[in-house]
């Protein structure tokens, strides 16, 4: 059975890799976009019609783009890692740690969206703009690990 799975993965490797990159791009777009949406949301009055629109936008972004993209990125990435034998390599451990951090970041964003929906505005727009840099830093680490493989 494992030989059959390895054969299928070997034949489909480039398709898996292409799918992985595509869904990572979708996921990253959402990770960059949602904190910016939060900034605009916080600038609207809590009882305004705009507030309800921002809540709906945040929920759609999470439900339609971010959660599915994160899940597909994980599944395809793990399939590729298993097929290519990356689990024993140090660069992959760093990459995996960065992806785990991005996943935790998304859970935090989803929690912040729920707080905004309840009318809680915990962070300033400036702080949200700073937090918006997290995915960029993680992406830089991930790309270096995958392309350069420094160790």
């Amino acid at each position: 059975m494992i030989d059959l799975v390895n054969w299928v993965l070997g034949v489909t490797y480039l398709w898996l890799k292409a799918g992985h990159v595509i869904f990572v791009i979708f996921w990253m777009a959402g990770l960059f976009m949602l904190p910016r949406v939060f900034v605009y949301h916080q600038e609207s009055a809590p009882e305004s019609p705009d507030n309800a629109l921002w809540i709906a936008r945040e929920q759609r972004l999470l439900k339609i783009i971010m959660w599915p993209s994160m899940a597909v990125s994980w599944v395809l990435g793990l399939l590729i890692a298993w097929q290519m034998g990356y689990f024993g390599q140090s660069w992959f451990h760093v990459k995996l740690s960065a992806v785990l951090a991005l996943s935790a970041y998304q859970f935090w964003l989803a929690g912040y969206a729920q707080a905004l929906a309840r009318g809680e505005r915990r962070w300033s727009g400036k702080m949200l703009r700073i937090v918006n840099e997290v995915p960029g830093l993680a992406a830089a680490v991930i790309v270096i690990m995958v392309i350069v493989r420094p160790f």
Side-chain angles (χ1 to χ4, degrees):
M1 179 66 179
I2 299 237
D3 289 336
L4 175 63
V5 171
N6 282 332
W7 178 82
V8 169
L9 289 175
V11 169
T12 60
Y13 170 73
L14 292 177
W15 288 103
L16 291 171
K17 193 173 179 181
H20 180 65
V21 170
I22 290 165
F23 280 93
V24 166
I25 291 169
F26 294 160
W27 184 27
M28 293 300 295
L31 291 173
F32 281 116
M33 186 182 297
L34 192 55
R36 296 300 300 180
V37 171
F38 291 164
V39 171
Y40 302 132
H41 183 170
Q42 289 191 165
E43 292 173 353
S44 68
E47 299 302 322
S48 71
D50 284 346
N51 188 60
L53 289 173
W54 288 116
I55 292 168
R57 289 173 184 140
E58 292 157 3
Q59 290 172 350
R60 282 194 308 266
L61 182 58
L62 280 159
K63 183 179 178 182
I64 297 170
I65 296 173
M66 294 176 70
W67 291 120
S69 295
M70 182 177 79
V72 173
S73 295
W74 267 101
V75 168
L76 295 178
L78 290 173
L79 280 171
I80 292 166
W82 176 58
Q83 198 266 337
M84 300 302 290
Y86 292 155
F87 286 101
Q89 299 182 23
S90 298
W91 67 267
F92 181 74
H93 297 162
V94 175
K95 178 200 178 199
L96 187 59
S97 297
V99 175
L100 283 166
L102 280 178
S103 299
Y105 176 72
Q106 179 164 320
F107 278 94
W108 179 83
L109 290 174
Y112 197 80
Q114 290 174 345
L116 282 174
R118 290 188 304 268
E120 300 171 22
R121 287 164 160 76
R122 300 178 188 159
W123 289 35
S124 68
K126 181 180 180 179
M127 192 62 190
L128 287 170
R129 286 178 179 93
I130 292 169
V131 166
N132 196 34
E133 302 305 318
V134 168
L137 296 172
V141 168
I142 291 167
V143 168
I144 290 168
M145 290 302 115
V146 172
I147 303 298
V148 179
R149 297 184 186 178
F151 42 85

